[in-house]
């Protein structure tokens, strides 16, 4: 519309150009008539050229330019950290924070419920409208009324198409097309007008039903994505003010990022509603729609699509009798997984205290665990009674000389020991036996309970010994036995076989222990691998920032003094700093006379400084080396060394003459380091470390108009244990050095020699 107006309305252009005032000469201009005439002619020519340029711009480029005036950009950051937000966040108690987190999950559930209902009604309407059309047409064809059949088919298709086009063109033009480009652009940070209004939502639903029913070769998946995004947007903003449909209890999300997360969940729900594929919906949102992704968003998106899949199955197949039992199975499995993590942590602490006593104690502990395990596993099957072989067994019973479901053990011919069938097999064969279907009568209650308890505790006590050991398969075996036992308790009240319950039990225990999926156990402790890392003293930066990190800035926790180098530095100074500090990186600045004002040039690594000292490419005078550096050094000399292969400053021997020489650090310095102001919150700093993969970060003061005073106060942020950020002003704090000095458990893990080597 804008193109036709601008191109066919010259009066609009003339009015715009006429509004430009003629160029006037200043009072001090020369008064010579020839010169003044020349200047006047030049001014007229300039004005004509300007008018022509404006006309060309308005006719050819303005339509595209003006189109962008209707768009607005969205904030990529989670929060806009002004003082009002900080005060609002400080005033929140634990109850308000819990309510904020709960509302995220509640809105995801509402999105899943509403989108699934829309998807069901959409399918039902299309089936009935299109079905009625095809039935009437087919009946007329059977009556050999071919012309009338064509007219009915033609008129119904035309009427449905016309109806969809009219309501879209006059009521909600933003509902045109699939809607996926609009949603994708929004998730990339561009907010187009009218794409998430209530009017657009209703037109999208009704128009999609009409268009699909009209035999047009169009699909419903794209419109369902847009529909899910509209539902998520309306819920995220608390409803629609224009139509008086607002709910204050929903208005919790006051920033672009939270609402964008909901729209990602809505788009995933739309794909799930179209194809009944929850995992496919999550993958579509991850790979195609979202420009920014986080692990927490993955679980919320999967939760939303799972709600859609369950509700659709309930509405279409009317089969919800097994949902309560599966829900209870999952809850108990999550609690058991959390208990498993807590007990394993206690056992590992006890083992660490034993390991500190020396190698003999480590080996002795492993032997004791092995002896205890052998005696227990060989003795337990004697407690189980022999069971007669089933008449419809799919394999030889009892199983002799190979793995199988029916171990004879001490039983008489024609009988098997069900507990021995699980214990006297490898873990893989035990899992296969537990997962097998059509074997509901194969195991007894007592044998399954004994096997579950045995696996639960033996896997805990076996993990901490000094031997390569994993937890994944033992947790699967334990979870499968728990699930199988639960299925036996449910019995005939469920239509699911015991093998499927074993699969669900393994998944629930994995979720509770290793957090392979969303788990209620997060309320009790961390996943098992995080707990083990903590016990061993490994530094690890958590995914999410703690609430208190939003109240602190990086400037609140920096310390001094700062160690830095000039762009052309004396060898003696470099050696002194390297010997007296263990930092990994150092700021490099240029100061007068090498620059007019102090300028931050970049950051240089400790390993690169050591390489320069070993190469002894020194300068007798403080001058720039220039392109000579490329002839003296090669990129391989500055490549990352293998793990554990590091140079030591004490191994480099320098004479007094060499110590008084200089090194030009410019060619070897990273001239584009990440730099932030001191008012940045710790939460944002943590996000930078996690998402960008930083090792250190420069912090500068926020002093307006004093660009040369920021350099002496640069500080480095170093990531340390439990998601906290250790900020040091003197470059870099080595993580291993930090933990060797502060965590005694590190010594039991790495050994005293390694700790002393790190400290020295």
């Amino acid at each position: 519309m804008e193109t036709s107006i601008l191109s066919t309305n010259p009066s609009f252009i003339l009015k715009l150009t006429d509004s430009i005032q003629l160029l006037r000469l200043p009072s001090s201009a020369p008064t010579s008539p020839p010169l003044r005439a020349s200047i006047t002619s030049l001014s007229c020519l300039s004005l004509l050229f300007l008018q022509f340029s404006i006309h060309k711009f308005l006719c050819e480029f303005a339509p595209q330019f003006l189109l962008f005036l209707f768009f607005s950009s969205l904030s990529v950051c989670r929060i806009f950290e002004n003082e009002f937000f900080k005060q609002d966040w400080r005033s929140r108690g634990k109850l308000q924070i819990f309510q904020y987190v709960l509302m995220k999950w509640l809105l995801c559930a509402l999105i899943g419920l509403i989108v699934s209902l829309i998807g069901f009604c959409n399918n039902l309407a299309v089936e009935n409208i299109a079905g009625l059309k095809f039935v009437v047409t087919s009946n007329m064809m059977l009556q050999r009324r071919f012309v009338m059949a064509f007219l009915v088919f033609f008129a119904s298709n035309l009427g449905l198409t016309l109806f969809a086009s009219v309501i879209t063109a006059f009521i909600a033009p933003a509902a045109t097309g699939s809607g996926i480009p609009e949603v994708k652009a929004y998730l990339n940070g561009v907010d187009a007008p009218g794409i998430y209004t209530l009017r657009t939502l209703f037109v999208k639903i009704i128009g999609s039903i009409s268009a699909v029913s009209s035999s047009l070769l169009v699909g419903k998946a794209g419109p369902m994505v847009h529909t899910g995004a509209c539902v998520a947007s309306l819920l995220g903003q608390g409803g629609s003010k224009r139509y008086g449909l607002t709910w204050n209890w929903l208005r919790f999300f006051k920033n672009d990022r939270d609402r964008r997360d909901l729209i990602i969940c809505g788009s995933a729900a739309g794909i799930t509603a179209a194809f009944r594929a929850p995992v496919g919906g999550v993958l579509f949102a991850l790979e195609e729609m979202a420009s920014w992704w986080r692990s927490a968003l993955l679980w919320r998106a999967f939760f939303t699509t799972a709600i859609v899949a369950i509700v659709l199955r309930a509405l279409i197949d009317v089969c919800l009798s097994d949902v309560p039992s599966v829900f209870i199975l999952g809850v108990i499995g999550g609690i058991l997984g959390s208990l498993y993590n807590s007990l394993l942590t206690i056992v590992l602490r006890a083992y660490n205290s034993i390991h500190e006593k020396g190698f003999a104690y480590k080996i002795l502990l492993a032997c004791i665990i092995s002896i205890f395990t052998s005696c227990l596993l060989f003795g337990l099957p004697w407690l189980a009674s022999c069971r007669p072989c089933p008449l419809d067994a799919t394999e030889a019973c009892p199983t002799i000389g190979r793995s199988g479901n029916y171990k004879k053990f001490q039983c008489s011919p024609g009988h098997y020991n069900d507990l021995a069938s699980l214990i006297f097999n490898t873990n893989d064969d035990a899992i296969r036996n537990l997962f097998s279907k059509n074997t509901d009568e194969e195991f007894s209650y007592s044998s399954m309970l004994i096997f579950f308890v045995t696996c639960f505790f033996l896997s805990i006590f076996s993990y901490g010994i000094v031997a390569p050991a994993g937890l994944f398969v033992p947790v699967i075996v334990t979870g499968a036995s728990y699930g199988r036992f639960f299925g036996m308790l449910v019995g005939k009240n469920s239509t699911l076989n015991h093998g499927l319950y074993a699969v669900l039990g393994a998944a629930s225990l994995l979720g509770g222990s290793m957090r392979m999926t969303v788990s209620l156990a997060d309320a009790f402790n961390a996943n098992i691998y995080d707990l083990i890392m903590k016990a061993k003293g490994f530094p690890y930066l958590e995914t999410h920032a703690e609430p208190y990190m939003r109240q602190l800035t990086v400037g609140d926790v920096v310390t001094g003094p700062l160690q830095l180098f000039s762009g052309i530095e004396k060898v003696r100074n470099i050696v002194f700093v390297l010997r007296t500090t263990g930092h990994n990186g150092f700021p490099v600045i240029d100061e007068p006379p090498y620059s007019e004002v102090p300028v931050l040039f970049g950051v240089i690594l400790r390993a690169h400084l050591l390489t320069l000292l070993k190469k002894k490419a020194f300068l007798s005078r403080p001058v720039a080396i220039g392109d000579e550096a490329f002839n003296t050094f090669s990129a391989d000399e500055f490549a990352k060394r293998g793990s554990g292969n590091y140079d030591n400053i004490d191994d480099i021997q320098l004479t007094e003459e060499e110590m008084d020489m200089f090194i030009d650090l410019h060619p070897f310095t990273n001239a584009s380091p990440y730099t932030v102001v001191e008012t940045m919150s710790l939460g944002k700093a943590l996000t930078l470390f996690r998402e960008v993969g930083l090792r250190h970060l420069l912090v500068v003061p926020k002093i307006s108009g004093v660009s040369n005073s920021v350099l002496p106060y640069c500080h480095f942020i170093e990531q340390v244990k439990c998601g906290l950020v250790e900020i040091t002003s003197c470059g870099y704090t080595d993580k291993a050095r930090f933990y060797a000095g502060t965590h005694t458990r590190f010594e039991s893990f790495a050994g005293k020699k390694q700790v002393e080597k790190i400290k020295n």
Side-chain angles (χ1 to χ4, degrees):
M1 183 177 294
E2 292 81 11
T3 304
S4 60
I5 290 176
L6 294 174
S7 301
T8 61
N9 195 348
S11 63
F12 170 77
I13 301 170
L14 290 176
K15 289 178 182 178
L16 197 63
T17 55
D18 287 343
S19 64
I20 302 175
Q21 296 183 356
L22 293 175
L23 298 176
R24 295 186 179 182
L25 293 173
S27 58
S28 61
T31 57
S32 172
L35 182 59
R36 191 172 185 86
S38 301
I39 295 176
T40 303
S41 301
L42 182 61
S43 300
C44 292
L45 290 174
S46 301
L47 179 61
L48 289 174
F49 177 76
L50 179 62
Q51 289 178 330
F52 174 77
S53 301
I54 294 175
H55 180 275
K56 185 175 181 63
F57 169 77
L58 291 174
C59 291
E60 299 184 11
F61 304 107
Q64 291 79 10
F65 173 76
L66 293 177
L67 186 61
F68 287 99
L69 298 181
F70 294 99
F71 298 118
S72 60
S73 61
L74 302 172
S75 175
V76 176
C77 299
R78 182 182 181 276
I79 52 179
F80 191 78
E81 290 182 336
N82 53 27
E83 289 301 323
F84 290 97
F85 170 82
K86 293 179 180 178
Q87 181 60 32
D88 176 63
W89 192 263
R90 292 189 196 103
S91 62
R92 295 184 181 184
K94 292 184 178 180
L95 181 61
Q96 286 79 8
I97 295 176
F98 173 77
Q99 190 177 12
Y100 172 77
V101 176
L102 179 64
M103 284 301 299
K104 288 185 177 182
W105 291 95
L106 179 60
L107 283 184
C108 287
L110 286 176
I111 292 169
L113 178 62
I114 295 173
V115 172
S116 60
L117 292 174
I118 293 174
F120 174 75
C121 295
N122 195 329
N123 292 335
L124 194 64
V126 170
E127 292 293 333
N128 281 275
I129 295 173
L132 178 62
K133 176 185 65 177
F134 289 126
V135 167
V136 173
T137 303
S138 299
N139 289 339
M140 290 183 176
M141 293 292 291
L142 291 175
Q143 298 172 7
R144 306 189 66 81
R145 300 167 61 186
F146 301 120
V147 177
M148 195 63 184
F150 170 73
L151 290 177
V152 170
F153 185 73
F154 170 80
S156 59
N157 288 341
L158 181 61
L160 290 170
T161 304
L162 185 62
F163 175 71
S165 300
V166 168
I167 63 174
T168 303
F170 288 98
I171 300 178
T176 303
S178 68
I180 291 180
E182 289 80 359
V183 177
K184 190 172 182 179
Y186 179 89
L187 296 178
N188 194 255
V190 178
D191 189 7
I195 60 174
Y196 294 134
T197 62
L198 191 63
R199 183 169 54 183
T200 301
L201 173 61
F202 281 107
V203 171
K204 199 75 176 185
I205 296 172
I206 298 173
S208 174
I209 293 173
S210 300
V212 175
S213 302
S214 66
S215 295
L216 292 175
L217 202 60
V218 294
K220 58 185 178 181
M224 279 305 304
V225 172
H226 194 183
T227 299
C230 287
V231 171
S233 178
L234 290 170
L235 289 177
Q237 66 188 21
S240 175
K241 288 185 178 180
R242 182 173 183 179
Y243 300 100
L245 300 174
T246 58
W247 303 275
N248 291 330
W249 64 277
L250 287 176
R251 304 188 68 181
F252 261 76
F253 306 111
K254 305 174 184 178
N255 57 79
D256 288 331
R257 183 169 178 176
D258 283 339
R259 293 183 182 178
R260 186 168 59 241
D261 289 351
L262 288 176
I263 289 174
I264 291 175
C265 295
S267 62
I271 285 292
T272 304
F275 299 110
R276 279 183 275 177
V279 177
V282 175
L283 292 177
F284 176 80
L286 168 63
E287 297 175 354
E288 184 64 27
M289 302 300 294
S291 298
W292 296 277
W293 193 265
R294 295 172 296 121
S295 60
L297 182 58
L298 173 66
W299 302 127
R300 289 208 301 273
F302 183 74
F303 174 72
T304 307
T305 58
I307 293 292
V308 175
I310 292 174
V311 174
L312 280 178
R313 180 181 176 184
L315 294 173
I316 296 174
D317 300 333
V318 194
C319 180
L320 277 180
S321 58
D322 296 317
V323 171
S325 60
V326 173
F327 178 80
I328 296 173
L329 174 72
V331 171
I332 298 176
I335 296 174
L336 287 174
S338 178
L339 177 62
Y340 185 92
N341 292 357
S342 299
L343 294 176
L344 183 58
T345 304
I346 296 173
V347 171
L348 287 178
R349 289 175 182 171
Y351 283 5
N352 284 340
S353 62
I354 297 174
H355 292 166
E356 291 177 357
K357 299 180 180 180
F359 292 104
Y361 287 90
K362 294 180 181 180
I363 298 174
L364 180 62
L365 177 62
C367 294
I368 292 175
I369 296 298
S370 175
I371 294 171
F372 174 76
T373 301
S374 300
C375 296
L376 186 66
L377 294 182
F378 191 85
L380 285 176
W382 295 91
L383 301 178
S385 58
C386 296
R387 300 169 63 88
C389 292
L391 299 177
D392 57 347
T394 57
E395 61 178 86
C397 180
T399 304
I400 300 175
R402 62 181 179 85
S403 61
N405 286 14
Y406 309 102
K407 289 291 185 179
K408 184 175 182 294
F409 203 61
Q410 87 289 7
C411 298
S412 59
H415 292 74
Y416 72 97
N417 188 313
D418 57 344
L419 185 55
S421 300
L422 297 172
I423 291 178
F424 277 80
N425 266 320
T426 63
N427 288 332
D428 294 342
D429 291 330
I431 293 172
R432 191 178 298 110
N433 292 348
L434 292 169
F435 284 0
S436 59
K437 61 180 181 179
N438 301 325
T439 57
D440 291 356
E441 305 298 329
E442 183 175 320
F443 302 101
S444 63
Y445 291 91
S446 58
S447 296
M448 192 56 58
L449 179 61
I450 291 173
F451 185 70
F452 163 65
V453 174
T454 302
C455 292
F456 188 88
F457 287 101
L458 273 186
S459 61
I460 292 174
F461 286 102
S462 300
Y463 179 74
I465 64 173
V466 284
L471 282 173
F472 205 88
V473 172
V475 171
I476 292 179
V477 175
T478 306
S481 58
Y482 149 69
R484 185 100 184 189
F485 180 72
F486 185 90
M488 295 168 67
L489 293 178
V490 174
K492 297 182 180 179
N493 296 323
S494 174
T495 59
L496 305 179
N497 64 73
H498 295 175
L500 182 55
Y501 271 110
V503 175
L504 297 175
S508 67
L509 196 62
L510 277 174
S513 176
M514 302 182 183
R515 313 296 149 85
M516 305 297 293
T517 182
V518 181
S519 178
L520 296 174
D522 287 328
F524 302 103
N525 51 33
N527 74 70
I528 186 59
Y529 295 122
D530 286 353
L531 293 175
I532 295 174
M533 280 194 300
K534 183 178 179 180
K536 290 185 174 182
F538 289 132
Y540 182 75
L541 199 63
E542 297 291 347
T543 305
H544 310 293
E546 296 293 337
Y548 73 87
M549 288 187 176
R550 300 191 183 97
Q551 315 307 322
L552 295 175
T553 65
V554 292
D556 294 331
V557 289
V558 292
T559 57
L562 174 66
Q563 301 290 342
L564 49 83
F565 294 120
S566 298
I568 301 177
E569 187 60 80
K570 202 169 188 178
V571 174
R572 186 180 302 276
N573 295 339
I574 297 176
V575 172
F576 175 77
V577 171
L578 293 181
R579 283 178 177 172
T580 55
T581 65
H583 312 316
N584 178 71
F586 304 89
V588 176
I589 64 172
D590 281 334
E591 294 180 302
Y594 305 109
S595 62
E596 296 181 359
V597 294
V599 177
L600 172 64
F601 187 79
V603 178
I604 189 167
L605 297 180
R606 181 187 188 90
H608 294 175
L609 290 172
L610 291 172
T611 300
L612 295 175
L613 293 176
K614 286 178 61 178
K615 192 74 173 180
K616 295 186 178 183
F618 304 144
L619 304 171
S620 58
R621 294 182 297 109
V623 294
I625 190 174
D627 294 337
E628 258 184 69
F630 301 104
N631 300 325
T632 308
F633 298 91
S634 66
D636 293 338
E637 294 179 272
F638 297 94
K640 176 71 175 178
R641 300 289 185 85
S643 179
N645 297 323
Y646 304 107
D647 292 325
N648 195 326
I649 183 62
D650 295 329
D651 297 334
I652 300 175
Q653 303 297 326
L654 300 173
T655 64
E656 283 297 321
E657 181 181 358
E658 291 172 335
M659 295 284 278
D660 292 328
M661 299 180 77
F662 299 87
I663 299 179
D664 182 10
L665 302 180
H666 293 98
F668 317 101
T669 301
N670 175 16
S672 56
Y674 283 87
T675 308
V676 300
V677 294
E678 61 184 354
T679 53
M680 172 180 276
S681 69
L682 283 180
K684 279 189 175 181
L686 183 143
T687 302
L688 276 176
F689 275 120
R690 284 284 304 190
E691 297 187 1
V692 184
L694 301 181
R695 188 172 185 181
H696 32 64
L697 186 68
L698 286 172
V699 181
V700 297
K702 190 176 183 181
I703 304 177
S704 176
V706 191
S707 60
N708 61 345
S709 65
V710 302
L711 298 174
Y713 300 95
C714 295
H715 299 280
F716 279 89
I717 300 177
E718 178 55 33
Q719 43 189 318
V720 296
K721 182 183 175 185
C722 296
L724 303 181
V725 179
E726 174 74 15
I727 303 182
T728 65
S729 64
C730 45
Y732 170 76
T733 300
D734 187 87
K735 290 188 283 288
R737 183 186 302 272
F738 177 81
Y739 276 89
T742 57
H743 294 269
T744 56
R745 283 191 299 271
F746 184 87
E747 183 174 323
S748 65
F749 163 68
K752 291 184 179 180
K753 292 184 179 179
Q754 181 67 15
V755 171
E756 291 301 323
K757 181 179 179 181
I758 293 173
K759 286 182 178 180
N760 297 328

